[in-house]
Amino acid sequence: MRHLFRLPSFLVLVILGAALTAFAAQSVDPADLVKQGQKLLAEGKHDAALELFRQALQRSPDLYDAHLNAGVALDLTGHYTEARRHFEKAIQIAPEDRKNQALANMGVSYAFEGNAKSASTFYRQAFDRQMTAGPDLAGAPETANALGRVYLECGDLDNAFKWYQTGYETSRRQPKLPADQVDLWDLRWAHAQARMAARKGNAAEARKQMAIVKALVDKGTNPDQQIQYPYLAGYVSFYLKDYTGAIAELQKADPSDPFIQLLLAQAYEKSRDAAKAREAYTQALASNAHSLNNAFARPLARKKVAGGQRQ
């Protein structure tokens, strides 16, 4: 009599379990994978998040949110070229009402590498769309200011002035702008001018504009902007080479802002306090935001912390 070959029962269970797991994985909604990945991203688990975004794209190659978030995860881990491939795809497939979001994220991606020229290409596209499609006279000034910030932190002060001024003037084109918003845009314009003056070493102009900011903050029409004054005072002090003053002011600013932690770390370095500088650089790396503040802080902070570990 011929005997049928039989797999051991435990092996049958293993194979069955693997098949069920694979089936379950294939049946997961790609949008749910993106949501899970976004949660991991917020927790700083960038590689795990990226794996979920990639799984979502395997199931749905044209899923906008998966491409956008994959780009974010890749930027935060320093893989900028690959990140921009995802942002490029996101721009191509974005719904009309999210196109500017994708363009801005591409701009931030280039800011991670300090590439103002390429970043400006995408911010200007978003600005032009906001000025013509509507126009969006609320969003356009924000975009212009973002581009001014890119130029400022990349050291192009002429273009920084041009775009900050554009942001301010565009804000004034909004019909019936509420009084608190008038104050807000006056504050932002003076804030920017103070920082630009400090970068040029013009202490008198920087302090003049700081006084305008302080008066507008004290006016109380925008209480959420009060935290911006110690940041400004610390920024101005740092670029005027008053490192003790910079540290004193920046310690009063938002401790969760990676850019403030970067300035604080640099001020500590200038003051020859290596331990506190390293602490501030490490704190800068705690942010998982895909923002200009993080774009200007994270790459240098990562380099400084890694360099300290090799010593």
Side-chain angles (χ1 to χ4, degrees):
M1 177 181 291
R2 297 176 62 186
H3 295 283
L4 295 174
F5 176 73
R6 294 183 179 179
L7 290 173
S9 57
F10 80 90
L11 188 56
V12 172
L13 290 174
V14 169
I15 294 172
L16 180 59
L20 289 173
T21 299
F23 176 77
Q26 290 296 326
S27 64
V28 175
D29 185 347
D32 287 338
L33 290 173
V34 172
K35 289 179 182 178
Q36 294 172 36
Q38 288 173 317
K39 183 175 183 296
L40 292 174
L41 203 58
E43 295 169 355
K45 299 172 183 176
H46 307 134
D47 292 335
L50 181 59
E51 177 57 30
L52 290 179
F53 300 141
R54 285 172 170 162
Q55 288 181 29
L57 289 170
Q58 287 175 355
R59 293 158 178 73
S60 182
D62 288 336
L63 185 59
Y64 170 80
D65 283 323
H67 280 291
L68 192 78
N69 284 282
V72 168
L74 287 160
D75 268 344
L76 292 174
T77 54
H79 297 88
Y80 308 123
T81 301
E82 187 178 355
R84 289 195 283 272
R85 286 198 288 268
H86 285 284
F87 289 133
E88 183 177 6
K89 182 65 174 178
I91 291 168
Q92 292 173 359
I93 63 177
E96 184 61 25
D97 63 346
R98 300 187 70 183
K99 184 82 72 176
N100 291 339
Q101 177 191 36
L103 289 166
N105 273 275
M106 181 71 98
V108 171
S109 185
Y110 277 110
F112 269 93
E113 290 191 296
N115 187 341
K117 182 178 179 180
S118 294
S120 70
T121 299
F122 296 93
Y123 277 113
R124 291 183 71 164
Q125 285 182 53
F127 178 79
D128 290 343
R129 283 169 49 84
Q130 288 166 324
M131 292 298 291
T132 58
D136 180 3
L137 292 178
E142 302 278 358
T143 299
N145 266 25
L147 182 50
R149 176 80 185 283
V150 170
Y151 279 123
L152 174 61
E153 300 308 334
C154 291
D156 185 343
L157 300 182
D158 289 339
N159 272 314
F161 184 90
K162 171 187 172 181
W163 281 97
Y164 274 123
Q165 185 177 46
T166 298
Y168 177 68
E169 292 176 350
T170 304
S171 75
R172 284 293 191 267
R173 294 177 58 184
Q174 298 179 63
K176 299 181 180 178
L177 191 65
D180 64 323
Q181 291 298 299
V182 171
D183 288 345
L184 177 62
W185 281 101
D186 284 345
L187 187 155
R188 287 173 170 171
W189 178 220
H191 200 291
Q193 289 182 87
R195 284 178 284 133
M196 289 184 286
R199 292 291 289 258
K200 293 177 180 178
N202 188 339
E205 181 63 20
R207 292 183 178 121
K208 172 187 171 183
Q209 297 298 331
M210 282 178 63
I212 295 172
V213 172
K214 186 66 166 64
L216 287 164
V217 166
D218 290 346
K219 191 174 179 181
T221 50
N222 291 278
D224 60 320
Q225 294 299 305
Q226 290 180 356
I227 196 68
Q228 293 298 322
Y229 187 78
Y231 155 54
L232 174 61
Y235 189 106
V236 168
S237 293
F238 178 81
Y239 280 102
L240 294 179
K241 301 183 180 180
D242 174 12
Y243 304 119
T244 300
I247 291 168
E249 293 294 343
L250 291 167
Q251 285 176 333
K252 304 173 193 174
D254 183 358
S256 67
D257 186 325
F259 188 74
I260 287 170
Q261 291 298 326
L262 179 78
L263 285 175
L264 191 55
Q266 292 174 310
Y268 279 128
E269 277 189 328
K270 295 291 187 180
S271 301
R272 301 184 183 279
D273 191 335
K276 287 187 176 179
R278 179 175 173 76
E279 181 182 342
Y281 280 126
T282 301
Q283 184 61 33
L285 290 174
S287 175
N288 298 300
H290 194 256
S291 64
L292 288 179
N293 282 12
N294 210 13
F296 294 123
R298 190 174 184 84
L300 179 57
R302 183 191 291 118
K303 181 179 178 180
K304 291 286 186 175
V305 170
Q309 290 173 343
R310 289 194 293 270
Q311 293 175 0

